Amino acid sequence: MPALVLLGAQWGDEGKGKATDLLGGSVDYVVRYQGGNNAGHTVVVGDQKYALHLLPSGILSPGCTPVIGNGVVVDPSVLLSELSGLNERGVDTSKLLLSGNAHIITPYNVTVDKVTERFLGKRKIGTTGRGIGPTYADKINRVGIRVQDLYDESILTQKVEAALDVKNQVLTKLYNRRAIAVEQVVEELLGYADKLAPYVSDTVLVLNQALEEDKVVLFEGGQGTLLDIDHGTYPFVTSSNPTAGGACTGAGVGPTKISRVIGILKAYTTRVGAGPFPTELFDEDGEALRRIGGERGVTTGRDRRCGWFDAVIARYATRVNGLTDFFLTKLDVLTGWEQIPVCVAYEIDGKRVEELPYSQTDFHHAKPVYEMLPGWTEDISKAKTFGDLPKNAQAYVKALEEMSGAPISAIGVGPGRNETIEINSFI
Ligand code: GDP
Ligand code: IMO
Ligand code: MG
């Protein structure tokens, strides 16, 4: 059994952390392949709750080697404080592998993220302010700083100079900010070099050798399909590829190695930040989903926008990721509604549309077409098998499966590791 990808099928926060942790005990490596500390993945083990931002959720499974791949953008101060936070709680982090090719989020990238958002005003994206977009921009512009640059002071200095040459002009002349000193940045970055050194390695080689030895590798996506820079609701997206193909480029593993792509799908929909969201609710149902589902951002503490399940989006996620399975999460949150609306199609300018429109204008005008499914009132948090679920909950899952285009192989009925109904085994 070679490589599996586990990714968000909606706009992030689907429960990827919980799903990854659940599989952590049966896999040898868990790899983050894109994004950075914009992610916030929650794992609940017994009475302990962990919020992971940069580290793969597999770090909590003792037999598993956690890997930060080349496609990730790394804020060294966040990484080091996340590691020490886990160490203080007794988690062994010594096996972590960090790609020398991963790009570094520098202090000026964080500044540019915040300043750009402020200047966009009401057109802002609502980023997490962690410097993600500007760091990927530097990577594509070929003025990025990589982890390996921390080990050559001369190269590091030249690269920081090159990056700041232009940025300082923009910061001072356009945004009215103070210039950032090259020496200060270089000194700060060099300060991380020794602390990160034990983890830095050629992760592409390690992962490919592991696959040759039939080890099981799990790729854990950050964000979600609709936040993908190519396939999401551009420009209201993140600056990387959370979709399945991103696992190949972000870890240096060929697509022929990937046998399973699992989409994590919330039983309703949420979104943080700006951008279109056809099934968004502005009434007491939306408020109830937020309250019962605890829908508050793990990274920024912002309230998440909430709405009903959108099957058009789920079908789209199946297609662009080649999903083989879904892991449906948070079904328990829907307990208590007499009827549950599910969006089966959109109405755009008076026409019924079954698939996600590629045009931004159309998507902004999309109105959900709802089908009402009967709800249930029984507590489902103790359900262990599909048969333990009330008939209407079973019918809800089956209806979603039919509309979404891939089998639902697991169902989350609570945040804990064991609060899961496993239908088809993933490994
Ligand atoms: P991620 O970013 O995809 O890892 O998701 P987040 O951690 O940001 O948000 C998911 C939230 O839902 C977390 O608080 C999880 O503990 C919680 N969660 C995950 N699965 C379930 C589930 O099946 N039921 C309930 N009630 N909560 C869940
Ligand atoms: P996890 O991995 C939900 C959103 C931000 C913003 C947009 C761009 O926990 O699912 P960025 O800082 O990435 O440039 O912001 O993307 N966003 C997320 N939304 N969950 C996430 O991560 C997110 N990471 C970024 O809110 O709208
Ligand atoms: Mg999250």
Side-chain angles (χ1 to χ4, degrees), residues 256-312:
T256 48
K257 298 286 193 306
I258 294 168
S259 58
R260 207 107 181 233
V261 185
I262 306 159
I264 313 303
L265 188 66
K266 215 179 263 191
Y268 49 98
T269 315
T270 63
R271 171 162 208 175
V272 201
F277 178 2
T279 63
E280 182 168 15
L281 293 167
F282 300 95
D283 57 8
E284 59 271 24
D285 281 332
E287 199 40 60
L289 286 174
R290 183 152 40 246
R291 191 184 64 250
I292 302 165
E295 296 299 351
R296 175 164 291 210
V298 180
T299 299
T300 57
R302 291 179 289 179
D303 272 353
R304 292 174 182 157
R305 300 157 66 192
C306 295
W308 299 121
F309 184 82
D310 185 335
V312 182

Side-chain angles (χ1 to χ4, degrees), residues 105-126:
I105 301 178
T106 63
Y108 51 80
N109 293 137
V110 178
T111 304
V112 171
D113 192 0
K114 290 183 177 153
V115 172
T116 319
E117 280 283 277
R118 209 169 305 142
F119 268 69
L120 279 171
K122 65 177 181 7
R123 289 189 295 275
K124 72 177 179 190
I125 308 295

Side-chain angles (χ1 to χ4, degrees), residues 12-16 38-42 52 223 297-299 304:
D13 303 325
E14 298 90 348
K16 298 177 290 293
N38 47 350
H41 296 181
T42 316
L52 301 166
Q223 294 74 53
V298 180
T299 299
R304 292 174 182 157

Side-chain angles (χ1 to χ4, degrees), residues 10-11 120 123-125 133 136-137 140 224-242 271 274-277 316 356-364:
Q10 295 151 320
W11 275 287
L120 279 171
R123 289 189 295 275
K124 72 177 179 190
I125 308 295
Y136 278 114
I140 301 300
T225 301
L226 274 298
L227 285 172
D228 186 280
I229 186 81
D230 286 280
H231 302 292
T233 48
Y234 189 89
F236 301 102
V237 292
T238 191
S239 299
S240 66
N241 289 117
R271 171 162 208 175
F277 178 2
Y316 180 73
L356 197 88
Y358 74 87
S359 144
Q360 185 185 355
T361 313
D362 285 350
F363 194 56
H364 276 269

